[in-house]
Amino acid sequence: MNEDESTFKRLVAVIGEPGCGKSVYLTSLESYYIKQGFFVFRFDFIGLKMINGKITFPDLVLSSCPSFPCGNSKQFGRWLPKNERKCIFLLDGLDQAPDIVEEIFLPANIGSPATTGVWISMLISQKLMRKSKVVISSRPSSIFNLPSSLRPEIIYNLNGLSDEGMSLVVSTYNREHSQQILKFIKDKGQNLVSFTRNPFLLSLISLIYNSPLSEVTSTTTLTQLYTFAFKYLKLSPHNRKRGDEESEKSVDKFYFVMFLAQKNSFTEEDLRNNGLTVETMENCTFINVTSKQLSHVIESKEKMITPRHQSLMEYHLSRYIIQHLGIERFKSMVDGMYDLLDQDRWVYIRRFMAGHINTKNVDKEKKKFFLNRLIDKLKDSQSSNMFDRYGYGDGTSLALLFQARLYNDLAELTNELEFIRNCYSGKTSETNVQVHIEDERSIEGPIFFLKHVNPNLQFLDIYLSEHTDYVQFRRFANSVKRLSNGIKRMNIGSIPFAHEHTECIELILPKINSILNLTYKMENNVDIDHIEQRLQLSIDKLPFKRAFICIYRQSRYRLIRHSSYTSATSSKTILPSHLDPEKKTINLIKCKKKRELNKIENMRRIGFFDFIISHEHEVKMLVEILMKVRTVWPMNIRLYPPSGVTSTYWRYVRMLFQQITERPFITQLHVHNLSVSDIGLKEIVSVLPKVQNVLSLKYLDELTDGQKVEWIKNVEDFKHLVTFPGLDFTLSFATWMYQPDIPVIPNQWSMSD
């Protein structure tokens, strides 16, 4: 986070899944900033939530650093505003107390008492210490759920330990066996590696590696790993009095009660009220005992007991829900675990419950209810494209995260594969899968789903990131390659330029039945011509089918089809559509012959037509067909002009627009790679009354602000010409897009026209 004045970001978030090292990262930041001469004040949201009543801001800050040499609270209150630029505030664990942050609050004077919620909200919303940097750590969805006024300026996603980091953590917890542990992890394969990128889980593996538990070598799920860790605790020579089953049940229930009370840290009084002692907790689970005050004498009332990691608490309470909760309350609680906006709270609880169901003798009614709810929610998330459902924003980000977490729940159910496969059996069970590939952890669940369920995929969307490793992309590509059925449509987004990534795409190609959309990163200097040539060779090596590839970069679209498609080798004039076997298309190459044109002219009631065209002779033949054949066909036209086309090409395109104006209607018209000098407002206005559902025109031009205003004015002046209500009309330029609002219910002028 090296920054100067020009790159300074005041509010920063560090997000990641449980145990990925968010708190450890904040500790390293704390050390870094102190060495740079800053004053660092660190708060845990758990601790903040335990502060009852009102407190002044100086006293709140001092509570995080009691030894700060500042004199009394009033002197510190005068010091803080004068040293804003020198102060760093680290706020750890927003997801553990998200309700402490308030969007609407009454600002307080720095020296006046107020609740911790008011102070933290003022700090985050820049109403307090405006020149100080604030860093928040959290599980992902709690950050996305923040109101826009409290949203961080920049978000860092922790993607797990590097190989060097893994070696360091293992040496810290088990130096004697560090090399054997790392070899053991590597030999066990990717599933265990995905766990060990997580610092906390790696520490568990390091602890239990040389235990007498022979089962540890069979660890394949997250729940198994935690279960072995607790078995190790029982067998540990350091455990003075091993917890019995009754004590474990009491601890499970205690964590459940504290979870409902939204308390992640406890006092000895909390333990006594639930019939427990600190010693019992130490014998049954992993805890930390600290104090609210810095002193060599710690009074009982000042003790703070916290689980060594939040996921340990979630393991215990999930076990209580599965084993001891009544059936009606169990059902009610499970129904509440799938809230998209509250998923951070339930993500590990739900996953552990799946693991307990997989390994324990669970009540049959509970098991059936849980499995059916999980499959229902997963199928619902797969039922449509998330961008169509939630739009381009935080809603889709949360939905993608939610689906990925449901796959991880599924991966715990290794003994329930037959039930899961039966839920997805049958050709009518079409599925949409959307995956954001960050690291090993982000793909283990989806790979498990593809490998063991073998779904009938309709759409598959893959989003890469700057952290996407070739090895992980290839693993996922191989899981797609092994599917029994083809995929109707596939999108791969944010592709970095690397020959290895192109190899992964080539692995997937044989499975594409219709369209493969490839979007390359804008900032990379990609040799897109080389990629196009390579993919053309790859698709030509495959048996001919009507699939095609669309490459997108820097506003330009490129169409790649099997070479035999652009030759007259097919004996048929009417062919199945690229996109939908229920629709038709015409062999425009074969239609060069007059006899074929006559054949089409004499056809009646053919049905729905899809035209996906690129070459000049295809545009020319489509124009000729529309001129000669007056039969009314519902049709979609998608035009992808190649680079370097001549003025003749655009003359044919304008003729195509003219032919559209002479027909009763056209269902969809998509034209890419346009220039305003070739197809301008005149041509747009001419086809507006004839397009029924979608009109999408994508230009390569970069517009000035004045030109944007002019385009908006002109389109608004002419949009009354639209005949079909609810038309999806989009004008896209290099860095700007405009979508005029077309009424769903026809206006009076539409009816009269």
Side-chain angles (χ1 to χ4, degrees), residues 690-704:
K690 301 297 182 177
V691 184
Q692 188 177 37
N693 292 338
V694 181
L695 175 59
S696 175
L697 305 173
K698 300 183 184 295
Y699 288 85
L700 301 174
D701 303 83
E702 181 78 63
L703 300 186
T704 65

Side-chain angles (χ1 to χ4, degrees), residues 587-601:
N587 186 340
L588 294 171
I589 309 301
K590 197 167 189 288
C591 285
K592 288 179 179 178
K593 300 176 182 179
K594 188 174 180 179
R595 176 168 51 87
E596 300 301 330
L597 274 174
N598 293 336
K599 187 186 297 185
I600 294 172
E601 189 175 1

Side-chain angles (χ1 to χ4, degrees), residues 611 613 622 635-639 656 660 666 668-670:
F611 292 103
I613 56 180
L622 182 56
M635 70 173 76
N636 298 334
I637 298 176
R638 291 173 173 82
L639 175 60
L656 177 61
I660 291 172
I666 177 175
Q668 296 184 22
L669 177 61
H670 305 256

Side-chain angles (χ1 to χ4, degrees), residues 239-254:
N239 195 343
R240 297 185 297 275
K241 182 181 178 183
R242 297 167 185 171
D244 54 30
E245 288 189 13
E246 198 59 37
S247 297
E248 289 179 356
K249 178 182 175 181
S250 298
V251 171
D252 291 350
K253 183 178 181 181
F254 172 74

Side-chain angles (χ1 to χ4, degrees), residues 484-665:
S484 299
N485 302 310
I487 304 168
K488 181 177 179 181
R489 191 200 74 194
M490 184 171 180
N491 300 320
I492 306 178
S494 300
I495 306 171
F497 177 59
H499 292 293
E500 293 85 357
H501 288 86
T502 308
E503 288 176 11
C504 297
I505 294 168
E506 289 171 324
L507 287 173
I508 294 168
L509 268 180
K511 288 298 173 182
I512 307 301
N513 287 339
S514 176
I515 179 170
L516 171 61
N517 289 313
L518 306 175
T519 303
Y520 281 82
K521 287 184 177 178
M522 298 286 288
E523 63 271 18
N524 290 345
N525 185 22
V526 178
D527 184 358
I528 212 75
D529 291 329
H530 172 77
I531 293 174
E532 184 176 0
Q533 292 165 12
R534 180 169 172 175
L535 291 177
Q536 182 69 66
L537 291 172
S538 299
I539 202 170
D540 285 343
K541 290 177 183 177
L542 300 174
F544 172 68
K545 57 182 177 181
R546 305 197 61 74
F548 66 97
I549 304 171
C550 180
I551 297 178
Y552 173 75
R553 181 177 179 267
Q554 292 184 336
S555 303
R556 180 174 288 280
Y557 293 79
R558 299 176 182 230
L559 187 67
I560 303 174
R561 295 170 289 178
H562 200 288
S563 293
S564 60
Y565 175 76
T566 55
S567 63
T569 54
S570 175
S571 59
K572 295 183 178 179
T573 304
I574 306 299
L575 301 168
S577 162
H578 296 76
L579 299 177
D580 189 343
E582 301 296 322
K583 299 175 184 178
K584 305 291 183 183
T585 194
I586 295 174
N587 186 340
L588 294 171
I589 309 301
K590 197 167 189 288
C591 285
K592 288 179 179 178
K593 300 176 182 179
K594 188 174 180 179
R595 176 168 51 87
E596 300 301 330
L597 274 174
N598 293 336
K599 187 186 297 185
I600 294 172
E601 189 175 1
N602 293 327
M603 289 179 177
R604 296 291 185 270
R605 302 170 66 97
I606 296 177
F608 205 114
F609 275 83
D610 262 332
F611 292 103
I612 298 174
I613 56 180
S614 176
H615 299 304
E616 182 177 306
H617 57 257
E618 293 178 293
V619 185
K620 179 182 178 182
M621 291 313 304
L622 182 56
V623 170
E624 287 192 32
I625 290 171
L626 295 181
M627 288 175 64
K628 293 188 176 183
V629 181
R630 290 305 173 183
T631 306
V632 178
W633 303 327
M635 70 173 76
N636 298 334
I637 298 176
R638 291 173 173 82
L639 175 60
Y640 296 84
S643 57
V645 296
T646 65
S647 58
T648 306
Y649 186 99
W650 294 114
R651 181 164 59 84
Y652 286 130
V653 174
R654 287 190 288 272
M655 291 172 65
L656 177 61
F657 272 63
Q658 178 60 38
Q659 287 304 311
I660 291 172
T661 66
E662 296 179 9
R663 303 187 73 79
F665 69 93

